[in-house]
Each structure stands twice: as C-alpha cells, then as structure tokens.
Amino acid sequence: MPVILITDALVFVLIAVAVGFGLYAARHEHLRGPWLQVGRSPVGVAALVVVLFYVGIGLLDSLHFHPRVEPVAQAAAASQSAVGSDPAADGGGPAAVAQAQGADETAGQSASTRTPTYSTQIISVLDLWLSGLRERQEKTFSAPFATHLFVKEPIEQPDGSVTRGYPRLEHGGAHLADPARRAVDIGLRGLFGMVKGLLVWAALMAVLIGLLAMRWRQSFNERARAIWRGETELPWRVGLITLALMLVLSFVAAELAAKYHILGTDKVGEDVFYQSLKSIRTGLVIGTLTTLVMLPAAVILGIMAGYFGGRTDDVIQYLYTTLNSIPGVLLIAAAILMLQVYMTNNADQFQSLVERADLRLLFLCIILGVTSWTGLCRLLRGESLKLREADYVQAARALGVRHSTVIGRHILPNVLHIVMITLVLDFSGLVLAEAVLSYVNIGVDPTMNSWGNMINSARLELARDPVVWWSLAAAFVFMFTLVLAANLLADVVRDAFDPRLRSAVR
C-alpha cells in the first residue's frame, strides 16, 4: 500500500518544478545558452553524473509503502483437517473423497477472496532493494570485511570450558568455511562485480551511441570514434568514463555487500553501508527542500525592495536585518525544542516513528529556509536597485506598463542568474549544516538515518582502544563526494550564468 509522506510530496513537487523550468529554459535562448555552456564543461558533466547517482538513490528512498503481510494459510489448515487421513483407508469411499475435494475448493475460494493485510511498518523501495543489508544485523561492532566481532566475548568450548575471544559473525563472511581465505574471496567477488559493472556500462554506452548516431545520421562506428577522440560538442567521453567508474564501484560494492559488511557495523550491529545509503535522502531533502522554502520569500521581497524603494524597502530591510541579528543556531534549537514538546503532547497523531521523524525533517527544512533567505534577498535587492534605473525599465514605466508586468518581463529575467548561482552554491552548505546540527542534537530525528547522526554516534567511539573509525569515515566519504560534486557543478553554473564572467571570457 503506497504511503506519501510530506517530504515525499514536496520532493515530487520539486521534481515537477525542475522539469517545468527545464522546458521553459529550452524555449528561451538567454537560459538555454548558459545551460549548454554547462553541458560543454567536462568538469560539469562529470560532477552532474555523480550528483545524478545520489539523486537516483534519494528518489528510490522517497517511494514509501506499507509492506503486505502474508496471511496465515487458513485454507491449507482447513484442507489438512478435512483430509487428515486417507478417506479411502478410513472406509469413507467415494463420498469421503468428494467431501475432501469440496473442502479444498471452499478453502481455495476463501483464500482468493480474502482481503490483503498490510503491516503498519513504513519502508521504501530502497529498503526493499537493500533488504539483505537491512535484515542482517550482528551483535555489536565489526570492522569492514571482518569475519569476527570487534570486541571479545566469552566463548564456550566443546569441552565445556569458557574462554574469551572474538566470535564469528552471524552474517559477515559466514559463507566461508575457512576465514583465512577471505582475501581471495574478496578479490574474486570484487572482480566479478567489476565485470558486471563494465558489461552494464557497455550496454548503456551502446544504446547511447546508437541514439546519437541516429540523431546525427552517422554510422555507429563513426559516432563511437568521434566520442572516444573527444571530437563531439558535448564531452560525452568524460561523462561515459565517469559513468563507468560509478557503475563499477556500485556493482563491486553490491557484490561484496551480499556476503560482507563492507563498511563494518555499529554499536547495535547495523550495517554502516546501509546507513550511509539511507542518509543520502536526508542530505538531499535538506539541501533541496530548504531552497523551495526560502526561494519565494527571497525573490519576492528582494525584488520588491529594490524596485519600489521607499517605505517598502525600509520595511523589508528592517525585517531581514532583524532576522540576521538572531543567532541561527539558537533559533533552530528553540524551534526544534518546541516541535519536540508538541510531538510529545500529541503522540496519538503519529501512526509510526517514520511519520514523526518526517515531520521533524520538514520542520528543520522550514527553519533553515527561514534563516537562510536573507542573503539572496539582499543580493536581489541590490541588483533590482540597478535595474530599475535602466532605460528600458524607465521607458516601460513612463508608458504606463503595470508594475507586475515590468517585474515579470524586465526585472526577474535579469536577476535569474543570481538565483541560479545562489541555489547551487547554498546546496552544499545546507548538506553540511545538517551534519553540524545533528552533531549537536538539534538536527533530524535520532531515529532517522543521516550523516550527522552517524557522526554524532561515532564521536564517542573514537575514544575506544582500538578506535572504531569506520562509521565516521563512511559518513565523511559519502558526504565529501556529494559536496565536492555539488561544488564543482556550482562553479561551472556560476561561470555560465554570471554575465560579468561571460563577458570576460568573450
């Protein structure tokens, strides 16, 4: 049974807005040109492929549903009770046999008409896909690719004596009869995953080259040779190489994760690799939905302040100056604490912990949006102050054109590059902000997977001897890769949309 959480609905709305903006940009040269420039950048294409991999995982984790519970086989029980013994052997003859067959038909009809039962648990498509990682839980810590626990425990020997040692894991490396062959098994499985990734990449590359050859009316070999030599307008070679790298890493990780905990387990035995993948949605939701919250206020108030001036400008300046004077962390902490009090007093309104955590995530996005719109508003105010003195704006106002028309046709299109640059630059900052806020326990709900919660739970384990480092390292690597790709893409977008940089290049 499908379940649409609040953040899921907003994610789908954001996707619809992005698709609509893409169609709008494709029809207008002043937007299509800069985006084509982004597509011609090898760095931008490589970063975009990495970001799309993260987005794909986040979308799979945004499709939630109640899993179906298989009903008890009452029909089979009724059939067994009806034919508990051989009717012919009991002396029933053909009549007993017919009665047993009738009982089977009745049980089958009741089973086919039974209403399906659904669990109260809410899981996502990603959870279903990673059910092996989600359900394989150990007792406590285990290192990456380990076959034994990380801490010593009492082990009972065959002779009845008890010694302290490192017991075997229930799932990680359990298929190995001899743990000493672990390195060979890891190498073979990694090689097999690499081959599968390359085969999938080759199939995708063949489809892409075939489509491009049809579009440009070339033979397959000619188009493939042009792409490999880098003679195409768009850097397809860089994009395909990055795609190959991501597919190989994905298939190698999937092949190894089927038998090992490739990033170890945490204190309660949960797979760290599964936690890292589940944390992707949290980072993407905070980085994108926060912009959806702050964008309308920043654009509307910033343009109004710069275009109208006077008292309108004074009121808006007073508003964002006052908001900037309040420390953002204190405002976020106060809002989250108020939400916690509300959820505690109204616990009956939440049917599951997932809905409770989702509401807190949405509230955190709203608070971050409220505290982060002032910077973009100030930039748009300054640009609108300059644009309202332009000759074409003054001519439109002298001819009696309505203010809304002037803003929509002359002001907004000329400040759109500032909006685009700010959005892509703020994304990585918001992803890092979630990690910092969760680290100080005012971020997302502790029951929700996030990189900040992983870092918060791992900070106490750094004092152990030996050090439990893999949870912190996993969160760092996943977050670093996303933020690095987002920053590289943001630099390319800034260079493409900033008029001053474009004029300097020309």
Side-chain angles (χ1 to χ4, degrees):
M1 179 182 295
V3 176
I4 300 179
L5 302 176
I6 301 177
T7 54
D8 294 340
L10 292 177
V11 166
F12 299 144
V13 170
L14 189 61
I15 293 175
V17 171
V19 171
F21 176 77
L23 296 176
Y24 176 81
R27 300 175 182 176
H28 296 79
E29 180 60 30
H30 70 283
L31 294 175
R32 184 172 65 249
W35 281 115
L36 287 176
Q37 183 177 342
V38 173
R40 296 188 186 101
S41 171
V43 175
V45 170
L48 183 61
V49 172
V50 177
V51 171
L52 288 179
F53 259 81
Y54 275 83
V55 171
I57 296 175
L59 290 179
L60 289 178
D61 203 16
S62 298
L63 300 173
H64 292 91
F65 62 94
H66 288 294
R68 183 173 179 175
V69 178
E70 294 297 333
V72 180
Q74 298 177 357
S79 176
Q80 291 177 2
S81 63
V83 293
S85 59
D86 189 358
D90 292 344
V97 174
Q99 181 181 0
Q101 293 177 353
D104 288 341
E105 294 177 359
T106 304
Q109 293 176 0
S110 62
S112 61
T113 58
R114 187 179 295 112
T115 304
T117 305
Y118 296 95
S119 172
T120 57
Q121 184 185 15
I122 299 177
I123 63 175
S124 66
V125 174
L126 184 66
D127 291 324
L128 184 63
W129 186 31
L130 302 177
S131 57
L133 297 179
R134 181 167 59 94
E135 296 171 357
R136 293 187 309 159
Q137 188 167 347
E138 309 291 347
K139 292 182 63 176
T140 183
F141 294 111
S142 66
F145 294 102
T147 57
H148 294 75
L149 286 178
F150 188 69
V151 294
K152 290 184 176 181
E153 290 186 355
I155 302 176
E156 185 177 356
Q157 302 297 324
D159 58 357
S161 61
V162 178
T163 60
R164 290 185 61 83
Y166 301 98
R168 284 289 299 269
L169 298 177
E170 296 182 8
H171 305 285
H175 65 291
L176 295 175
D178 183 11
R181 295 184 56 84
R182 179 185 59 176
V184 177
D185 184 70
I186 291 174
L188 292 177
R189 290 183 177 276
L191 182 61
F192 183 61
M194 181 185 301
V195 171
K196 291 202 302 186
L198 291 176
L199 290 177
V200 173
W201 173 74
L204 293 176
M205 183 178 64
V207 173
L208 177 62
I209 294 176
L211 294 176
L212 292 176
M214 292 175 58
R215 170 166 172 69
W216 294 100
R217 298 180 180 179
Q218 293 179 332
S219 65
F220 183 88
N221 293 332
E222 290 177 352
R223 199 60 190 173
R225 192 179 302 110
I227 291 176
W228 183 250
R229 293 177 178 176
E231 298 174 352
T232 56
E233 181 182 6
L234 300 179
W236 290 108
R237 182 177 61 180
V238 175
L240 289 174
I241 293 175
T242 308
L243 179 63
L245 178 62
M246 297 300 295
L247 286 175
V248 167
L249 290 177
S250 300
F251 276 90
V252 169
E255 192 68 27
L256 293 175
K259 297 297 182 181
Y260 298 94
H261 301 290
I262 61 175
L263 294 179
T265 56
D266 63 357
K267 185 176 182 179
V268 296
E270 291 186 353
D271 193 274
V272 175
F273 182 55
Y274 170 75
Q275 293 178 351
S276 302
L277 293 176
K278 288 285 292 182
S279 301
I280 291 177
R281 178 184 181 271
T282 305
L284 292 176
V285 166
I286 290 182
T288 55
L289 292 190
T290 302
T291 61
L292 188 65
V293 173
M294 55 87 71
L295 190 60
V299 173
I300 294 174
L301 295 181
I303 292 178
M304 287 179 58
Y307 178 76
F308 293 105
R311 293 184 178 179
T312 303
D313 187 18
D314 294 339
V315 171
I316 295 175
Q317 282 193 77
Y318 178 80
L319 178 62
Y320 67 66
T321 303
T322 303
L323 190 60
N324 275 338
S325 65
I326 304 174
V329 175
L330 295 181
L331 185 60
I332 294 172
I336 293 298
L337 292 176
M338 290 171 57
L339 179 64
Q340 287 181 344
V341 172
Y342 171 79
M343 291 191 297
T344 302
N345 296 333
N346 301 273
D348 55 339
Q349 297 182 6
F350 306 97
Q351 299 180 358
S352 64
L353 293 176
V354 176
E355 295 180 354
R356 179 188 177 100
D358 186 73
L359 179 61
R360 178 164 174 172
L361 176 62
L362 175 64
F363 203 73
L364 180 62
C365 293
I366 294 175
I367 296 302
L368 286 174
V370 169
T371 57
S372 61
W373 64 271
T374 56
L376 179 58
C377 180
R378 183 181 288 110
L379 291 175
L380 295 179
R381 172 186 173 272
E383 190 69 15
S384 299
L385 283 172
K386 181 182 69 175
L387 290 174
R388 75 173 184 178
E389 303 298 333
D391 294 338
Y392 53 89
V393 175
Q394 293 291 336
R397 297 177 64 177
L399 293 173
V401 179
R402 291 182 302 178
H403 294 304
S404 59
T405 304
V406 174
I407 292 175
R409 292 185 178 180
H410 300 300
I411 304 296
L412 184 59
N414 287 287
V415 300
L416 200 57
H417 66 281
I418 297 178
V419 177
M420 294 298 305
I421 294 171
T422 304
L423 291 184
V424 294
L425 288 176
D426 286 350
F427 173 81
S428 57
L430 292 171
V431 173
L432 295 175
E434 180 275 325
V436 175
L437 294 175
S438 298
Y439 178 76
V440 296
N441 289 325
I442 58 173
V444 299
D445 193 86
T447 60
M448 176 172 284
N449 291 297
S450 73
W451 294 316
N453 283 337
M454 291 178 63
I455 295 173
N456 186 31
S457 62
R459 62 188 175 95
L460 298 178
E461 309 304 333
L462 296 177
R464 295 175 61 97
D465 188 20
V467 175
V468 178
W469 51 268
W470 44 87
S471 293
L472 181 63
F476 171 78
V477 170
F478 275 82
M479 185 167 53
F480 172 78
T481 304
L482 176 60
V483 172
L484 177 62
N487 282 338
L488 292 175
L489 183 61
D491 290 340
V492 176
V493 172
R494 181 194 60 192
D495 296 342
F497 277 88
D498 195 334
R500 293 169 297 182
L501 294 178
R502 281 186 292 174
S503 62
V505 172
R506 293 176 184 174

